[in-house]
Structures are given as structure tokens and as C-alpha cells.
Amino acid sequence: MNGLMQQHPLLISNLLVHAERHHSEQQIVSRRVEGDIHRYTYKDLAARSRKLAKALAALGVKPGQTVGTLAWNGYRHMELYYGVSGSGAVLHTLNPRLHPDQVVYIADHAEDQALFFDLTFLPLVEAVASRVKTIKHFVLMTDRAHMPAQTKVPGLLCYEDLLDAQDDRYDWPQFDENSASSLCYTSGTTGNPKGVLYSHRSTILHAYAGALPDSLGSSARDVILPVVPMFHVNAWGLPYGAALVGAKLVYPGAGMDGKSLYELFEGEGVTMSAGVPTVWQGLLAYTEANNLKFSTMKRTVIGGSACPPAMIDIFEEKYNVRVLHAWGMTETSPLGAVCTLKPRQLGLSPAEQRAVQAKQGRAVFGLDMKIVDSDGAELPFGGKASGELLVKGPWVVSQYFKGEGGDPLVDGWFPTGDVSLIDADGFMQITDRAKDVIKSGGEWIGSIDLENIAMAHPAVAMAACIAAHHPKWDERPLLVVVKKPGAEVTRDELLQFFDGKIAKWWTPDDVVFVDAIPLGATGKMQKNKLRDMFKDYKLPTA
Amino acid sequence: MNGLMQQHPLLISNLLVHAERHHSEQQIVSRRVEGDIHRYTYKDLAARSRKLAKALAALGVKPGQTVGTLAWNGYRHMELYYGVSGSGAVLHTLNPRLHPDQVVYIADHAEDQALFFDLTFLPLVEAVASRVKTIKHFVLMTDRAHMPAQTKVPGLLCYEDLLDAQDDRYDWPQFDENSASSLCYTSGTTGNPKGVLYSHRSTILHAYAGALPDSLGSSARDVILPVVPMFHVNAWGLPYGAALVGAKLVYPGAGMDGKSLYELFEGEGVTMSAGVPTVWQGLLAYTEANNLKFSTMKRTVIGGSACPPAMIDIFEEKYNVRVLHAWGMTETSPLGAVCTLKPRQLGLSPAEQRAVQAKQGRAVFGLDMKIVDSDGAELPFGGKASGELLVKGPWVVSQYFKGEGGDPLVDGWFPTGDVSLIDADGFMQITDRAKDVIKSGGEWIGSIDLENIAMAHPAVAMAACIAAHHPKWDERPLLVVVKKPGAEVTRDELLQFFDGKIAKWWTPDDVVFVDAIPLGATGKMQKNKLRDMFKDYKLPTA
């Protein structure tokens, strides 16, 4: 027997309709590639997204077809989020930091019909335009005045011209909520990138879960600045979640340096932000150097890779900004866990609370997680053994686009490739990527713990810990360090810094200092490249 | 093209699985009908709900069949919420305040297969047991020691015996999320009550929306005491929403008086509560008389009928408890609107903020609302004209159980029978029930405004304003008043009290003092009965 409640598909266009009706005057502020600050409202966003949907139809884009973007965080990109998906087409956000060969591979694999891009990426598009196979329309996301006088891109269209040619009378189509809405490729370190194809249903459920008080806690009183790019896992869902609650949005465009971000934080009264640790390093370097404070920011979500405890301390203690440590991946939309404290922990000392906050957090309702041993048997919460983390839920991938890589699931659970502990309260802590674990004499050493300790040293700007070959133990930890500008520290001082912080046998066998650690397109350290660099490194203990 | 995300039905049992896995030690505290305080955890709830599901199967209850309850707010009732719905059967919560004839009608109409009830309601069940047609099993929700020595209820079963006969090894069945989960009859003032049949999908979506920061804002750090009964619209969804976020729950059982409630609020550290205005009157009368404060309560949700502004003032100013004025109905699961302020309003004076809080609030994402004129044409937000309120969304009824009353929808929208204004910010304010509007000379007078003014008078305990016949104006307002114990006020003093607060012609033509105003089974004033009582009343102005 079915219930007798109304049947409404969970569609992304519903978010826009809601925001237009109930938060019409709420602002969306963008730092444009053109240099100025643009400001409009959800009402404007809704009208222009409808125009865009009509423009897409005029270009011949059909429901189910993919539309690519190469763009920063900004209002035009948000119009694409709603206009493309709302019309039934699929928004494919490409990562502009990828190598042109990968851009070509991904655009072809996704069969993109059109490509919308910011002025910044005109050179990249010029480099790939003649190579991509399916793109029929190249659209520069700017107005007529900023169009290039000449370009190698064939038939280049102007975004504002396309919109100007349409009126805003358009009813969002209603269709199955399981329809594909957007597509994002993982930044696979081995093999070709694989596509994760989100649905309207997964996006809306993820948006509900992400706004909960124990997730990001978003409300109409928030001013949200997503530093995390819209070309990477839908900016962690914030362009959807903000519309769901009617929050003000502030988009930084290409201005990702500390100074540009800080000006927006203060100028627009930002209360909440989200990004990867490396971005916050840049922002904190700027505020530290200029002795600045945050006057409106209440909390920041830090994920993408483990947040060093030292960074949590600085945000919380010096800036009075609550850190929401979070975990997720492209395959999980991305929200998997958020570290908001339970009541028992509110009674702990600040230092003890920080120790909890260093964990990636607990499962949000909708997503479940477990850790398993090498035989796939579930390990108990609160146990001492770490295991591979598996997740399941309606915003977790079931298979990759076009079936690439086969069936990734194990008994319905998605294996994350992360090695984790889950404590008795359900707080999960990533101890390593499965492939980054250091296997020393049959025992596992988690590289992230070692990196966090090294990062807490005042002279260290960035640290990676990788496995180096050892004739007796098979693998031993090697610490690779980038020093802060002007700071000095010796190998022995660094190794002593580990004393008392971990089991003695976890201490790295050696330290090497480098100018830079290679970062991937989403800002994560590329340890596979480091392992390559140091594959013949001879440890002094060997 | 469909997205490639995992398919998991939205099921009520998922909430329990989540709470058991991720909030296993969180407490559920109940004041039992037996008199003592019972205390256990989500882990215990989950295990006993699984036992109950097996016990239901042993009794022959099949998926899709209905199971009735006559019970207060308590842990055993919560086990029925999860055990019945989780197993695929339908939880039918009966309102024990209904007349036995109505209980019989509803139980027969719903075709209840079993009836679970608290000790309190043994006399009621004895009165109806021989009359109901479909109930095969009567289960008293108590242990062996509290079973009556003899009873007229045939084959009376003991709840704890049923559970003791089962182990807790049970996998919750997976089925279509549109399956019926629970059934609640409206307290129809005319005609027979009509059933609203909720689904698993509607319940889960409602639980997500209800926990959002701009709704109830529930988190794992909350201690929630639902005063609103579990036999009425699922206690506004709190037994689901608390499990979703892992909040501590405190159930008051039959102890709904001010003293019993206050003891639980303070003894258990309650941070949030929810109930109708009449319950808060009792609680506030107790705290006022005993000069008490709330030491942990942060906010309270007030709905069911319009909250008098005077009550909002007392909670906010004297007790520092935030009032979340809310609106909903059985047909909306019930959450329709919650009054949380927008950022612009945070800058208003306290008095101006109170004026906003007197409105029922704005739409939560998922539910949309509009007001229409007498021709059904949508009226703009921010206009001066009130109109009938219509709503739609995935937790709004599409039709009543067994099609009673025909198709209630108008172009997909559910007409609420409430007359409302919606301001430019999207805040909706009920001005009246459509049937309670006073039609004076072709113009409408909203009775709720008049009642709110009267309720602000210090001598008034309760006030209802109804239409009385007038030879010239057709209808004119008659104010019916219950005085506070020991307080005195005259007709003329009360009428003068309206001066300057409303348009002169809205002032009631007369006042009558009564000992009590009849309340319905859900605590609402029964104005139809008042209109009956005063149908021949001769106004002094007539």
C-alpha cells in the first residue's frame, strides 16, 4: 500500500524556484574575471537561468546531453548550474588545472556538446578547440565588450548575447528525479580520469543533509563564500545548499590569493567558507603577515585533504573561527563526514576538543560508513585497528560514467581507498590513503599523522611522508619538507620534534628538504610523484 | 539519461539504523504511565524495535496492514513508530481524546489489525473492544506486573511478554519508499474524520527539512522534549527528526501539567520543546506562580494554532527562550512554515522582531505556499489582501485515505482552509480559518487578530471571537472570554482595550464571559461549537 502524499520529483530547478519565491532579494556577489565586483539577487539569477535554458535549447542542446564548463566561481557559472541541469541537460564541470590532453580526453569522453568558459581560459580553449570531437559551440562567459578581437576558437559565441536573445518566460521541465544532473571527473592519479554522474535526487538529498546543523549549518542568515571551486565536485554542493536556505553567496572568481579573499570576507560580511587546507594556508599567511582578524566569519569547512591540527588551533584560538573538519570525495557528492562535536565532548578541555576536531567527523544521516579488515570483515567502532573505509548512501556513486573501471561496489558499499579509524562515538579519522600507507616490517604506519606533526613545526610550510625502500623493513617513512620562506630547521631538529608524539618506531628514518611538493589539479599533494622522485633514495638506516 | 548514484529507498528504518550506529549511547528518557522515569539509549531502542517487528510478524501483521496505538509520548510508543513502520506495516496513531464512537469509527475505517495502548486508556479500550470490527489483538503497553487481574478486553496481551518472546536478530526489509508508513486522522469539525496516509519518503524528506537551521535547527547537542503528542501528526515529526540528528529525547508521558513538565525540562537539560499554545499556558502559569526560570531551554516551537503575541513576549523577554512560531496541519506532515528571521530583520528593534515572530513564518524548502483570491488567482507577496492559503510539496497530502472527500487538490495545490497574508519577505500570517472569518457588510474581519488583542489583556485566560448574526451587517464579531482565576474585567473595559489597536469597525460588538471554551481533541478552540451556542445571540447593536 502506497502513502497518499503528493508526488514531486526532487529537481535542482526546485531550489531556484524556492529561492526566487522566498528569498528573491537575497544577494549573490561575484568578483568577476573582468576585475570588478558584480552584485545581483536570486530573483535575477532565476530570470537569467531561465534565459540560459532557452538559449541552450536554441543551440540545439537536448535533455541528457552534456554541457562543459571551464570557469571560476561566479554568478554566470551558477546560472549554468541551474540553467543546464534545470533544463534536463547535464552540467559537466571541467577542471581547468588539468593538462590540455586530459581536458581533451574528458570533453570527448563526456561527449560535451557545448563548452562555456571564462576569459581566463581562452588560451586553454584555443589549445584544445581543434582537438575536441563533440563540442559544437564554444561560449565565452562575458559580454560583447570583452570579446576578443580575434581568436582561434571556431565560431566563438558571447554568453551575454545568447542571453539577450531570449526572454525569461520559461517553465522548468518536470522529469524523473533520477535523471543525470551533473558530471565531474575524478582527479585519478593513475589511469584516465573517471566520471561521476550525479542525479537530481542525489543532489537535492545531499543539499538537505549538507545544510543540517551538524553538517554545515547553513541558514538564511549566512553569507557563504565557497573557495572550493565550482569545477570540483560542485563546490561541495554550496551553490545548491545556499539556494535551499536562501543564504547570501559570495564568489571569489579567480582571486584565490589571501589578499583578494580577505577583502571579500570582510567587505561582504562572510560568515562561512569552505576550502582545502592549502587555500587556508595562503589566507592565514596573509592575515598573519598583516595582523588582521576576521570580523564576521564564524566557521569554515576544511576538507579535500586532512586539515593539519596546527591549522585548526590557529583558526579556533587566534581567530575565533570554528573549524568544521570534513571528509568526502568526488564519488560522495562530496559530503561524507563532518566533525561537529557531540554533547559529551562539549565538556572536554579545549585541547581535548581539538583532538576530536582533528578527526574527519561523523556520518551525516543518509550516508553510512564502516571500516573493514583485509578480509573485508567489518571492524568495530572504538577498536584500535584501522581498516579501509567503505561508504554507502543515495549520494554515493554506484558506478562510473560509461562503466569505466567496472563495478566499484563491494556488497553495495563503495570502497573509498582511505584507511581510517572510527572511535566509539562514531568519529572517523583518515589515517592514510590505502596506497600511501607505509608498510614497515608487516605493520602499517599512517603517513598523515607524521605529516601533521611535521606541519606543526614553525619552520615547516608543507610536509609529505612517503614510503622509501628499506632492505630489512621493506618500507620506512621518509619525510619530504618545504620550509617556510626565511625559516630554518635541520633534519635532526625535525626528527627530534617527533619525540613523545608518536611511537618511536614510527619516526621517519630521514628528512629531505625540497623547494616544492607537486600538487594535483585539486590542490592535493601528489605523493605518487614524490615516490617516483625518491624511488632510488637510500635511507641512512638502510 | 539517469545519474549513476546508489539507489537506496528513503525508509524510516534507516533513521533507526543510523541512530544505533552513530549515536548508540544517546539517551531516550520517558516518564512512564506507571509513574517512574525510564531511561535507555538509541541502541536499546533499536534492539527492542527489532524484537517488536518480529512480534508483529508472529501476531500475523503483514506489510501494508495497519496497527493502531492509543498512547502517550514514551519509549514504547517510539518502538511502535519504528517497529511497525520499519517492518512495512502502517502505524495508525489514534487520538485518545476522541469520543469512543469516533475511536470505533476510525479504527474500523483504518482496518486496524492490532491495537497497542497505555494503561491509562484501558477503560477506553474496554468501552470499544467489543465494537471494533477488525482488531484481532489488543496489546497493553506494560510489563507483566502491571497487567490487570481481570479485564473486559478479549485476549489482552502484554507488550513486554511479546518482546521477551523474540530475539533482536532482524534485518529491516527494503521496499519502495512510497509505501505507506503511518496514518493520522484529522480532527474534522464537520463530518467524519479523514485519514492522512504518510509514506516513508514523505516522512524522511520532512525530517530532513524539519531539522534545518531555519526550521527546528536540531542537532546531536539538543535535548528535545516533544510536548505535542505522538498521537497527533507524529508529534510534529520529532521522533524521526531526533533520530536523524542523534538528539537526546525526553518524553513526558501523561504528565502534561506545568509542574511535571517543568521538572523534566530542568532535570533532563531540555534545550528544545514543541507544543500548542494551550500547553505553554499551563507551563507558564506554573513558572510564573513559582517564580521559576528555565536554565537550559533555548527555544520552543509553538504551533497548532496561532501563538498569542503576549506569549511570545513572555518567553523571549522574561525567560530568554526563543519562540519558533510555526504553522502546519495533519495534511502537511505537519511542517509548513517556521518563523526564523532573515538577516535584514536581525537589525530590527526587539519590538519589531516580535511583530515578525507573531507571523507563522516562511516556507521551508520542499514545501511551497501561495495565497489566492476568491477566483483562485495568485495574490502577490507583500500585498495588502489576504487570501486562502494553498500549499504543495512531497510531504503534503494528495488525497485522503480511501479517497474520502474526493480530490482535495486544486491544480496540484492543497487548499488549507486558512486565510493568510504573505509579506514581501515571504513571511506568512494566518488571519483566520476560512470558516471562522467574520463577514461584516461584505468585508472580512479576521478573528485571530481580535483574539490576540484580547489575550494580551492581563485578566483574560482565553478568548475566542466568532461571528454573531446582525440584521444590517449580516455578521459582527462577538468576543467570548474566559477570565483568569481571581481576575476581573468588565465588558466595557475589554472593548476599550481594542482602541487604537485595530480599525474601529473591527471592534467586537459585544463580550460574553464563559467558564470554559470547548477545546477539540488536539487542544484547539472549537469555534463551531461556540457558534452553535451563540447562534441566537442578540447583539446590543442589532
Side-chain angles (χ1 to χ4, degrees):
Chain A
M1 182 168 64
N2 276 357
L4 293 171
M5 306 307 281
Q6 295 183 10
Q7 286 296 329
H8 295 280
L10 303 174
L11 298 180
I12 286 172
S13 57
N14 297 353
L15 294 167
L16 192 60
V17 171
H18 173 80
E20 183 183 20
R21 285 179 65 81
H22 301 284
H23 302 277
S24 59
E25 300 308 315
Q26 184 63 284
Q27 289 198 349
I28 299 164
V29 179
S30 308
R31 188 190 291 278
R32 285 203 272 211
V33 174
E34 294 89 334
D36 59 341
I37 299 282
H38 175 270
R39 197 177 292 275
Y40 74 175
T41 66
Y42 277 109
K43 187 176 179 175
D44 301 319
L45 168 71
R48 283 170 54 93
S49 299
R50 290 195 299 270
K51 288 186 176 193
L52 176 61
K54 295 179 87 159
L56 289 167
L59 290 175
V61 175
K62 298 194 166 41
Q65 289 188 328
T66 49
V67 173
T69 63
L70 278 168
W72 299 107
N73 291 8
Y75 68 104
R76 291 188 183 115
H77 207 174
M78 192 172 186
E79 290 160 11
L80 284 151
Y81 266 55
Y82 286 97
V84 173
S85 302
S87 73
V90 179
L91 180 82
H92 173 208
T93 51
L94 287 113
N95 187 333
R97 295 190 188 126
L98 293 174
H99 188 276
D101 290 351
Q102 279 191 303
V103 170
V104 171
Y105 170 83
I106 290 176
D108 285 350
H109 189 268
E111 301 177 41
D112 291 337
Q113 302 296 304
L115 181 64
F116 288 71
F117 60 99
D118 273 334
L119 267 172
T120 322
F121 306 118
L122 182 58
L124 172 59
V125 175
E126 288 185 327
V128 302
S130 65
R131 299 170 58 196
V132 291
K133 296 194 183 74
T134 59
I135 298 176
K136 300 184 184 71
H137 309 285
F138 295 90
V139 185
L140 189 52
M141 294 161 65
T142 191
D143 56 18
R144 177 53 50 191
H146 289 84
M147 290 295 284
Q150 53 186 32
T151 172
K152 286 185 284 183
V153 180
L156 184 64
L157 298 169
C158 169
Y159 184 87
E160 292 297 333
D161 285 357
L162 288 183
L163 261 59
D164 286 345
Q166 306 294 335
D167 63 47
D168 69 357
R169 291 189 299 275
Y170 179 80
D171 290 323
W172 296 107
Q174 301 293 300
F175 44 77
D176 187 331
E177 68 191 31
N178 290 300
S179 302
S181 59
S182 65
L183 177 62
C184 183
Y185 281 73
T186 59
S187 46
T189 44
T190 54
N192 278 317
K194 295 195 285 285
V196 177
L197 190 66
Y198 308 106
S199 70
H200 287 261
R201 173 182 167 98
S202 72
T203 303
I204 298 292
L205 292 176
H206 180 265
Y208 268 128
L212 291 173
D214 278 347
S215 301
L216 279 48
S218 328
S219 83
R221 290 170 301 289
D222 272 313
V223 180
I224 302 176
L225 189 151
V227 179
V228 54
M230 292 170 79
F231 55 74
H232 181 54
V233 209
N234 301 322
W236 298 354
L238 289 170
Y240 306 119
L244 187 145
V245 302
K248 177 177 170 182
L249 268 169
V250 181
Y251 285 125
M256 305 291 272
D257 59 292
K259 179 169 185 291
S260 301
L261 287 175
Y262 183 79
E263 283 174 6
L264 277 183
F265 276 111
E266 290 298 303
E268 299 297 332
V270 170
T271 61
M272 184 180 104
S273 189
V276 296
T278 42
V279 163
W280 300 129
Q281 280 194 310
L283 180 64
L284 289 178
Y286 177 76
T287 53
E288 295 283 289
N290 295 280
N291 201 23
L292 300 168
K293 299 283 181 193
F294 298 104
S295 60
T296 59
M297 183 144 82
K298 295 199 186 82
R299 60 201 191 283
T300 186
V301 189
I302 302 185
S305 51
C307 180
M311 183 179 284
I312 298 178
D313 291 346
I314 291 175
F315 266 120
E316 295 260 346
E317 284 164 24
K318 179 157 182 188
Y319 291 97
N320 201 25
V321 171
R322 172 117 296 208
V323 170
L324 295 170
H325 201 183
W327 172 86
M329 46 200 309
T330 307
E331 289 87 341
T332 63
S333 297
L335 200 67
V338 186
C339 196
T340 44
L341 300 185
K342 288 187 171 180
R344 191 183 68 73
Q345 295 153 339
L346 295 178
L348 299 175
S349 71
E352 290 167 317
Q353 290 193 12
R354 297 285 174 280
V356 178
Q357 286 181 282
K359 304 181 182 193
Q360 273 77 7
R362 51 197 173 84
V364 181
F365 172 72
L367 186 135
D368 203 358
M369 54 173 62
K370 67 174 181 181
I371 52 173
V372 300
D373 65 18
S374 52
D375 297 326
E378 184 167 355
L379 294 164
F381 287 16
K384 291 194 174 169
S386 59
E388 185 173 3
L389 178 69
L390 288 90
V391 295
K392 69 173 179 183
W395 55 86
V396 177
V397 72
S398 65
Q399 57 172 298
Y400 292 100
F401 191 44
K402 297 186 174 177
E404 292 286 340
D407 178 6
L409 304 191
V410 178
D411 294 333
W413 293 76
F414 175 75
T416 63
D418 279 327
V419 176
S420 316
L421 277 167
I422 303 182
D423 70 18
D425 292 311
F427 286 74
M428 183 272 290
Q429 182 164 29
I430 307 279
T431 54
D432 220 332
R433 290 292 293 169
K435 62 186 187 314
D436 292 338
V437 161
I438 299 153
K439 296 175 185 105
S440 170
E443 302 270 3
W444 285 10
I445 298 175
S447 61
I448 294 176
D449 267 351
L450 302 178
E451 287 158 9
N452 281 341
I453 292 168
M455 292 283 284
H457 191 285
V460 173
M462 197 175 291
C465 198
I466 58 169
H469 176 72
H470 192 282
K472 178 174 176 190
W473 304 108
D474 194 24
E475 293 180 359
R476 286 295 301 163
L478 169 66
L479 188 69
V480 184
V481 168
V482 180
K483 280 184 276 197
K484 284 189 184 161
E488 275 310 324
V489 61
T490 66
R491 168 193 182 279
D492 290 345
E493 283 164 1
L494 261 184
L495 292 182
Q496 274 166 30
F497 192 66
F498 285 86
D499 278 1
K501 299 192 174 85
I502 41 159
K504 193 76 189 163
W505 66 276
W506 275 45
T507 307
D509 282 26
D510 204 5
V511 179
V512 288
F513 295 98
V514 295
D515 290 338
I517 288 172
L519 299 179
T522 58
K524 294 182 196 173
M525 296 191 293
Q526 294 185 301
K527 292 200 197 172
N528 57 329
K529 290 203 174 162
L530 283 181
R531 280 190 291 263
D532 255 14
M533 284 168 61
F534 293 99
K535 71 175 189 293
D536 300 322
Y537 189 80
K538 190 167 160 41
L539 289 169
T541 54
Chain B
M1 181 168 65
N2 277 356
L4 293 171
M5 307 307 280
Q6 294 182 12
Q7 287 296 330
H8 296 279
L10 304 174
L11 298 180
I12 286 172
S13 57
N14 296 353
L15 294 167
L16 192 59
V17 170
H18 174 79
E20 183 183 19
R21 284 177 66 81
H22 301 282
H23 302 278
S24 59
E25 299 308 316
Q26 184 63 283
Q27 288 198 348
I28 299 166
V29 179
S30 308
R31 188 189 292 278
R32 284 203 274 211
V33 174
E34 293 90 333
D36 59 342
I37 298 283
H38 175 269
R39 196 178 291 277
Y40 74 175
T41 66
Y42 277 108
K43 187 175 179 175
D44 301 319
L45 169 71
R48 283 171 53 94
S49 299
R50 290 195 298 269
K51 287 185 176 192
L52 175 62
K54 294 179 88 160
L56 289 166
L59 290 175
V61 174
K62 298 196 167 38
Q65 290 188 328
T66 50
V67 173
T69 64
L70 279 168
W72 300 106
N73 291 8
Y75 68 103
R76 290 188 183 114
H77 207 174
M78 192 172 187
E79 289 160 13
L80 284 151
Y81 266 54
Y82 285 97
V84 173
S85 302
S87 73
V90 179
L91 180 82
H92 173 208
T93 51
L94 287 113
N95 188 333
R97 295 190 188 125
L98 292 173
H99 189 276
D101 290 351
Q102 280 191 302
V103 170
V104 171
Y105 171 83
I106 291 176
D108 284 351
H109 190 268
E111 303 178 39
D112 292 336
Q113 302 296 303
L115 181 64
F116 288 71
F117 59 100
D118 272 335
L119 266 172
T120 323
F121 306 118
L122 183 58
L124 173 59
V125 175
E126 288 184 326
V128 303
S130 65
R131 299 170 58 196
V132 292
K133 296 192 183 75
T134 58
I135 298 178
K136 299 183 185 72
H137 309 285
F138 294 91
V139 185
L140 188 52
M141 293 161 64
T142 192
D143 55 17
R144 178 51 52 190
H146 289 84
M147 289 296 284
Q150 52 186 32
T151 173
K152 287 187 284 182
V153 180
L156 183 64
L157 298 169
C158 168
Y159 184 87
E160 293 297 334
D161 285 357
L162 288 184
L163 261 59
D164 285 346
Q166 306 294 335
D167 63 49
D168 70 358
R169 290 188 300 276
Y170 178 81
D171 289 323
W172 296 107
Q174 301 293 300
F175 44 78
D176 187 331
E177 67 191 31
N178 290 300
S179 301
S181 59
S182 65
L183 176 63
C184 183
Y185 281 72
T186 60
S187 47
T189 45
T190 55
N192 278 318
K194 295 196 284 286
V196 177
L197 190 65
Y198 307 106
S199 70
H200 286 261
R201 175 183 167 96
S202 72
T203 303
I204 298 292
L205 292 176
H206 179 265
Y208 268 128
L212 291 173
D214 278 347
S215 302
L216 279 48
S218 328
S219 82
R221 290 170 300 288
D222 272 314
V223 180
I224 302 177
L225 188 152
V227 179
V228 54
M230 291 170 79
F231 56 74
H232 181 55
V233 210
N234 301 323
W236 298 354
L238 289 171
Y240 306 119
L244 188 145
V245 302
K248 176 177 170 181
L249 268 169
V250 182
Y251 286 125
M256 305 291 272
D257 60 291
K259 179 170 185 292
S260 301
L261 287 176
Y262 183 79
E263 283 174 5
L264 277 183
F265 276 112
E266 291 297 303
E268 299 297 332
V270 170
T271 61
M272 183 180 107
S273 189
V276 296
T278 41
V279 162
W280 301 129
Q281 278 195 311
L283 180 63
L284 289 177
Y286 178 76
T287 52
E288 294 284 289
N290 295 279
N291 200 25
L292 301 167
K293 298 283 180 194
F294 297 104
S295 59
T296 58
M297 183 143 81
K298 296 199 186 81
R299 60 201 192 282
T300 186
V301 189
I302 303 185
S305 51
C307 180
M311 183 179 285
I312 297 178
D313 291 347
I314 291 175
F315 265 121
E316 295 259 346
E317 285 163 25
K318 180 156 181 189
Y319 292 98
N320 200 25
V321 171
R322 171 115 296 206
V323 170
L324 295 171
H325 202 183
W327 171 88
M329 46 201 310
T330 308
E331 289 87 342
T332 63
S333 297
L335 201 67
V338 186
C339 196
T340 43
L341 300 185
K342 287 188 171 181
R344 192 183 67 74
Q345 295 153 338
L346 295 178
L348 299 176
S349 71
E352 291 168 317
Q353 290 193 14
R354 298 283 175 280
V356 178
Q357 286 181 281
K359 305 181 181 192
Q360 273 78 6
R362 52 196 172 85
V364 181
F365 171 73
L367 186 134
D368 204 357
M369 54 173 61
K370 67 175 179 180
I371 53 173
V372 299
D373 65 18
S374 52
D375 298 325
E378 184 167 355
L379 293 164
F381 287 16
K384 290 192 175 170
S386 59
E388 185 174 2
L389 179 69
L390 289 90
V391 295
K392 69 173 179 182
W395 54 87
V396 177
V397 73
S398 65
Q399 57 171 299
Y400 292 101
F401 190 44
K402 296 185 175 176
E404 293 286 340
D407 179 5
L409 304 191
V410 179
D411 294 335
W413 293 76
F414 176 75
T416 63
D418 279 328
V419 176
S420 317
L421 278 167
I422 303 182
D423 71 17
D425 292 311
F427 286 75
M428 184 272 290
Q429 182 164 31
I430 306 281
T431 55
D432 221 334
R433 289 291 294 168
K435 62 185 188 313
D436 293 338
V437 161
I438 299 153
K439 296 176 184 106
S440 170
E443 302 269 2
W444 288 8
I445 298 175
S447 60
I448 294 175
D449 268 351
L450 301 178
E451 287 157 9
N452 281 341
I453 293 167
M455 293 283 283
H457 191 285
V460 173
M462 197 175 293
C465 198
I466 59 169
H469 176 71
H470 192 282
K472 178 174 176 193
W473 303 109
D474 195 23
E475 294 180 356
R476 285 295 300 163
L478 169 66
L479 189 68
V480 184
V481 168
V482 180
K483 281 185 276 199
K484 281 188 184 162
E488 275 310 325
V489 63
T490 67
R491 168 195 182 279
D492 290 345
E493 283 165 358
L494 260 183
L495 292 182
Q496 274 165 30
F497 192 66
F498 285 86
D499 278 1
K501 299 192 173 84
I502 42 161
K504 193 77 191 163
W505 66 275
W506 276 44
T507 308
D509 282 24
D510 203 7
V511 179
V512 288
F513 294 98
V514 295
D515 290 338
I517 288 172
L519 299 179
T522 58
K524 293 181 196 175
M525 297 192 294
Q526 292 185 300
K527 292 200 197 172
N528 57 330
K529 291 204 173 160
L530 282 181
R531 280 190 292 264
D532 254 16
M533 284 168 62
F534 294 100
K535 71 175 187 295
D536 299 323
Y537 190 78
K538 189 164 158 48
L539 290 169
T541 53

